[in-house]
PDB file of all heavy atoms in Angstrom:
ATOM      1  N   GLN A 122      34.722 -15.690   1.354  1.00 97.00           N
ATOM      2  CA  GLN A 122      33.677 -14.811   1.890  1.00 97.00           C
ATOM      3  C   GLN A 122      34.022 -14.577   3.366  1.00 97.00           C
ATOM      4  O   GLN A 122      33.872 -13.414   4.003  1.00 97.00           O
ATOM      5  CB  GLN A 122      32.344 -15.369   1.746  1.00 97.00           C
ATOM      6  CG  GLN A 122      31.866 -15.596   0.396  1.00 97.00           C
ATOM      7  CD  GLN A 122      30.507 -16.202   0.292  1.00 97.00           C
ATOM      8  OE1 GLN A 122      29.544 -15.806   1.033  1.00 97.00           O
ATOM      9  NE2 GLN A 122      30.348 -17.242  -0.493  1.00 97.00           N
ATOM     10  N   GLU A 123      34.539 -15.525   4.098  1.00 97.00           N
ATOM     11  CA  GLU A 123      34.902 -15.363   5.490  1.00 97.00           C
ATOM     12  C   GLU A 123      36.213 -14.388   5.651  1.00 97.00           C
ATOM     13  O   GLU A 123      36.320 -13.687   6.521  1.00 97.00           O
ATOM     14  CB  GLU A 123      35.337 -16.663   6.181  1.00 97.00           C
ATOM     15  CG  GLU A 123      33.965 -17.514   6.290  1.00 97.00           C
ATOM     16  CD  GLU A 123      34.250 -18.921   6.906  1.00 97.00           C
ATOM     17  OE1 GLU A 123      35.353 -19.449   6.614  1.00 97.00           O
ATOM     18  OE2 GLU A 123      33.395 -19.500   7.353  1.00 97.00           O
ATOM     19  N   LEU A 124      37.100 -14.557   4.608  1.00 97.00           N
ATOM     20  CA  LEU A 124      38.201 -13.625   4.611  1.00 97.00           C
ATOM     21  C   LEU A 124      37.752 -12.214   4.481  1.00 97.00           C
ATOM     22  O   LEU A 124      38.365 -11.276   4.928  1.00 97.00           O
ATOM     23  CB  LEU A 124      39.166 -13.979   3.397  1.00 97.00           C
ATOM     24  CG  LEU A 124      40.009 -15.185   3.566  1.00 97.00           C
ATOM     25  CD1 LEU A 124      40.744 -15.567   2.304  1.00 97.00           C
ATOM     26  CD2 LEU A 124      40.948 -15.126   4.744  1.00 97.00           C
ATOM     27  N   SER A 125      36.738 -11.959   3.633  1.00 98.00           N
ATOM     28  CA  SER A 125      36.097 -10.599   3.453  1.00 98.00           C
ATOM     29  C   SER A 125      35.671 -10.044   4.787  1.00 98.00           C
ATOM     30  O   SER A 125      35.809  -8.910   5.050  1.00 98.00           O
ATOM     31  CB  SER A 125      34.929 -10.636   2.425  1.00 98.00           C
ATOM     32  OG  SER A 125      34.462  -9.428   2.238  1.00 98.00           O
ATOM     33  N   ALA A 126      35.002 -10.957   5.577  1.00 98.00           N
ATOM     34  CA  ALA A 126      34.637 -10.455   6.933  1.00 98.00           C
ATOM     35  C   ALA A 126      35.834 -10.030   7.782  1.00 98.00           C
ATOM     36  O   ALA A 126      35.755  -9.010   8.470  1.00 98.00           O
ATOM     37  CB  ALA A 126      33.852 -11.527   7.689  1.00 98.00           C
ATOM     38  N   GLY A 127      36.887 -10.798   7.721  1.00 98.00           N
ATOM     39  CA  GLY A 127      38.103 -10.452   8.357  1.00 98.00           C
ATOM     40  C   GLY A 127      38.707  -9.087   7.846  1.00 98.00           C
ATOM     41  O   GLY A 127      39.142  -8.273   8.726  1.00 98.00           O
ATOM     42  N   ALA A 128      38.576  -8.955   6.642  1.00 98.00           N
ATOM     43  CA  ALA A 128      39.151  -7.626   6.083  1.00 98.00           C
ATOM     44  C   ALA A 128      38.194  -6.433   6.520  1.00 98.00           C
ATOM     45  O   ALA A 128      38.708  -5.323   6.695  1.00 98.00           O
ATOM     46  CB  ALA A 128      39.010  -7.790   4.481  1.00 98.00           C
ATOM     47  N   LEU A 129      36.880  -6.715   6.601  1.00 98.00           N
ATOM     48  CA  LEU A 129      36.063  -5.682   7.129  1.00 98.00           C
ATOM     49  C   LEU A 129      36.365  -5.361   8.638  1.00 98.00           C
ATOM     50  O   LEU A 129      36.455  -4.144   8.980  1.00 98.00           O
ATOM     51  CB  LEU A 129      34.569  -6.183   7.073  1.00 98.00           C
ATOM     52  CG  LEU A 129      33.575  -5.398   7.833  1.00 98.00           C
ATOM     53  CD1 LEU A 129      33.556  -3.930   7.412  1.00 98.00           C
ATOM     54  CD2 LEU A 129      32.190  -5.971   7.472  1.00 98.00           C
ATOM     55  N   ALA A 130      36.687  -6.432   9.385  1.00 98.00           N
ATOM     56  CA  ALA A 130      37.066  -6.074  10.788  1.00 98.00           C
ATOM     57  C   ALA A 130      38.413  -5.216  10.775  1.00 98.00           C
ATOM     58  O   ALA A 130      38.601  -4.255  11.680  1.00 98.00           O
ATOM     59  CB  ALA A 130      37.277  -7.394  11.596  1.00 98.00           C
ATOM     60  N   MET A 131      39.330  -5.521  10.006  1.00 97.00           N
ATOM     61  CA  MET A 131      40.634  -4.781   9.929  1.00 97.00           C
ATOM     62  C   MET A 131      40.420  -3.483   9.359  1.00 97.00           C
ATOM     63  O   MET A 131      41.054  -2.412   9.974  1.00 97.00           O
ATOM     64  CB  MET A 131      41.634  -5.454   9.059  1.00 97.00           C
ATOM     65  CG  MET A 131      43.061  -5.011   9.176  1.00 97.00           C
ATOM     66  SD  MET A 131      43.881  -5.504  10.669  1.00 97.00           S
ATOM     67  CE  MET A 131      44.002  -3.952  11.602  1.00 97.00           C
ATOM     68  N   ASN A 132      39.523  -3.265   8.491  1.00 97.00           N
ATOM     69  CA  ASN A 132      39.149  -1.938   7.912  1.00 97.00           C
ATOM     70  C   ASN A 132      38.602  -1.015   9.008  1.00 97.00           C
ATOM     71  O   ASN A 132      38.922   0.156   9.175  1.00 97.00           O
ATOM     72  CB  ASN A 132      38.175  -2.046   6.742  1.00 97.00           C
ATOM     73  CG  ASN A 132      38.801  -1.952   5.397  1.00 97.00           C
ATOM     74  OD1 ASN A 132      40.078  -2.055   5.311  1.00 97.00           O
ATOM     75  ND2 ASN A 132      37.919  -1.771   4.365  1.00 97.00           N
ATOM     76  N   LEU A 133      37.686  -1.597   9.894  1.00 98.00           N
ATOM     77  CA  LEU A 133      37.062  -0.789  11.043  1.00 98.00           C
ATOM     78  C   LEU A 133      38.180  -0.462  11.910  1.00 98.00           C
ATOM     79  O   LEU A 133      38.232   0.659  12.489  1.00 98.00           O
ATOM     80  CB  LEU A 133      36.069  -1.722  11.762  1.00 98.00           C
ATOM     81  CG  LEU A 133      34.749  -1.999  11.062  1.00 98.00           C
ATOM     82  CD1 LEU A 133      33.899  -3.026  11.752  1.00 98.00           C
ATOM     83  CD2 LEU A 133      34.024  -0.733  10.771  1.00 98.00           C
ATOM     84  N   SER A 134      39.083  -1.268  12.233  1.00 97.00           N
ATOM     85  CA  SER A 134      40.334  -1.025  13.174  1.00 97.00           C
ATOM     86  C   SER A 134      41.011   0.226  12.579  1.00 97.00           C
ATOM     87  O   SER A 134      41.360   1.066  13.273  1.00 97.00           O
ATOM     88  CB  SER A 134      41.138  -2.229  13.384  1.00 97.00           C
ATOM     89  OG  SER A 134      40.453  -3.176  14.002  1.00 97.00           O
ATOM     90  N   HIS A 135      41.384   0.129  11.321  1.00 97.00           N
ATOM     91  CA  HIS A 135      42.200   1.173  10.613  1.00 97.00           C
ATOM     92  C   HIS A 135      41.423   2.506  10.698  1.00 97.00           C
ATOM     93  O   HIS A 135      41.970   3.570  10.899  1.00 97.00           O
ATOM     94  CB  HIS A 135      42.569   0.899   9.230  1.00 97.00           C
ATOM     95  CG  HIS A 135      43.502  -0.237   9.025  1.00 97.00           C
ATOM     96  ND1 HIS A 135      44.685  -0.278   9.797  1.00 97.00           N
ATOM     97  CD2 HIS A 135      43.582  -1.222   8.152  1.00 97.00           C
ATOM     98  CE1 HIS A 135      45.416  -1.277   9.494  1.00 97.00           C
ATOM     99  NE2 HIS A 135      44.894  -1.845   8.439  1.00 97.00           N
ATOM    100  N   ALA A 136      40.103   2.450  10.385  1.00 97.00           N
ATOM    101  CA  ALA A 136      39.357   3.617  10.329  1.00 97.00           C
ATOM    102  C   ALA A 136      39.116   4.181  11.739  1.00 97.00           C
ATOM    103  O   ALA A 136      39.199   5.459  11.838  1.00 97.00           O
ATOM    104  CB  ALA A 136      37.902   3.234   9.876  1.00 97.00           C
ATOM    105  N   ALA A 137      39.090   3.468  12.775  1.00 97.00           N
ATOM    106  CA  ALA A 137      39.010   3.942  14.105  1.00 97.00           C
ATOM    107  C   ALA A 137      40.325   4.751  14.442  1.00 97.00           C
ATOM    108  O   ALA A 137      40.240   5.917  14.892  1.00 97.00           O
ATOM    109  CB  ALA A 137      38.832   2.858  15.132  1.00 97.00           C
ATOM    110  N   PHE A 138      41.438   4.189  14.107  1.00 94.00           N
ATOM    111  CA  PHE A 138      42.694   4.891  14.252  1.00 94.00           C
ATOM    112  C   PHE A 138      42.816   6.055  13.484  1.00 94.00           C
ATOM    113  O   PHE A 138      43.298   7.120  13.992  1.00 94.00           O
ATOM    114  CB  PHE A 138      43.908   3.848  14.041  1.00 94.00           C
ATOM    115  CG  PHE A 138      44.230   2.879  15.025  1.00 94.00           C
ATOM    116  CD1 PHE A 138      43.754   1.666  14.973  1.00 94.00           C
ATOM    117  CD2 PHE A 138      45.064   3.284  16.147  1.00 94.00           C
ATOM    118  CE1 PHE A 138      44.168   0.674  15.997  1.00 94.00           C
ATOM    119  CE2 PHE A 138      45.398   2.433  17.177  1.00 94.00           C
ATOM    120  CZ  PHE A 138      44.938   1.130  17.099  1.00 94.00           C
ATOM    121  N   ALA A 139      42.260   6.110  12.206  1.00 93.00           N
ATOM    122  CA  ALA A 139      42.390   7.221  11.395  1.00 93.00           C
ATOM    123  C   ALA A 139      41.537   8.463  12.050  1.00 93.00           C
ATOM    124  O   ALA A 139      41.729   9.603  11.721  1.00 93.00           O
ATOM    125  CB  ALA A 139      41.839   6.873  10.008  1.00 93.00           C
ATOM    126  N   HIS A 140      40.472   8.121  12.889  1.00 96.00           N
ATOM    127  CA  HIS A 140      39.702   9.111  13.385  1.00 96.00           C
ATOM    128  C   HIS A 140      40.229   9.585  14.820  1.00 96.00           C
ATOM    129  O   HIS A 140      39.479  10.193  15.568  1.00 96.00           O
ATOM    130  CB  HIS A 140      38.236   8.614  13.528  1.00 96.00           C
ATOM    131  CG  HIS A 140      37.578   8.724  12.230  1.00 96.00           C
ATOM    132  ND1 HIS A 140      37.577   7.813  11.296  1.00 96.00           N
ATOM    133  CD2 HIS A 140      36.735   9.756  11.792  1.00 96.00           C
ATOM    134  CE1 HIS A 140      36.884   8.211  10.156  1.00 96.00           C
ATOM    135  NE2 HIS A 140      36.314   9.362  10.543  1.00 96.00           N
ATOM    136  N   GLY A 141      41.402   8.972  15.198  1.00 93.00           N
ATOM    137  CA  GLY A 141      41.999   9.441  16.419  1.00 93.00           C
ATOM    138  C   GLY A 141      41.630   8.651  17.626  1.00 93.00           C
ATOM    139  O   GLY A 141      41.826   8.998  18.871  1.00 93.00           O
ATOM    140  N   PHE A 142      41.175   7.314  17.290  1.00 96.00           N
ATOM    141  CA  PHE A 142      40.888   6.429  18.547  1.00 96.00           C
ATOM    142  C   PHE A 142      41.675   5.160  18.406  1.00 96.00           C
ATOM    143  O   PHE A 142      42.281   4.828  17.354  1.00 96.00           O
ATOM    144  CB  PHE A 142      39.391   6.021  18.409  1.00 96.00           C
ATOM    145  CG  PHE A 142      38.508   7.125  18.491  1.00 96.00           C
ATOM    146  CD1 PHE A 142      37.959   7.641  17.370  1.00 96.00           C
ATOM    147  CD2 PHE A 142      38.272   7.846  19.823  1.00 96.00           C
ATOM    148  CE1 PHE A 142      37.141   8.801  17.419  1.00 96.00           C
ATOM    149  CE2 PHE A 142      37.398   8.984  19.705  1.00 96.00           C
ATOM    150  CZ  PHE A 142      36.896   9.396  18.654  1.00 96.00           C
ATOM    151  N   SER A 143      41.851   4.508  19.572  1.00 96.00           N
ATOM    152  CA  SER A 143      42.536   3.213  19.588  1.00 96.00           C
ATOM    153  C   SER A 143      41.470   2.142  19.458  1.00 96.00           C
ATOM    154  O   SER A 143      40.224   2.434  19.610  1.00 96.00           O
ATOM    155  CB  SER A 143      43.278   3.068  20.894  1.00 96.00           C
ATOM    156  OG  SER A 143      44.291   3.935  21.015  1.00 96.00           O
TER     157      SER A 143
END
Side-chain angles (χ1 to χ4, degrees):
Q122 297 180 52
E123 291 174 335
L124 289 173
S125 182
L129 170 53
M131 193 73 247
N132 264 10
L133 288 172
S134 298
H135 286 321
F138 279 99
H140 281 80
F142 302 99
S143 293

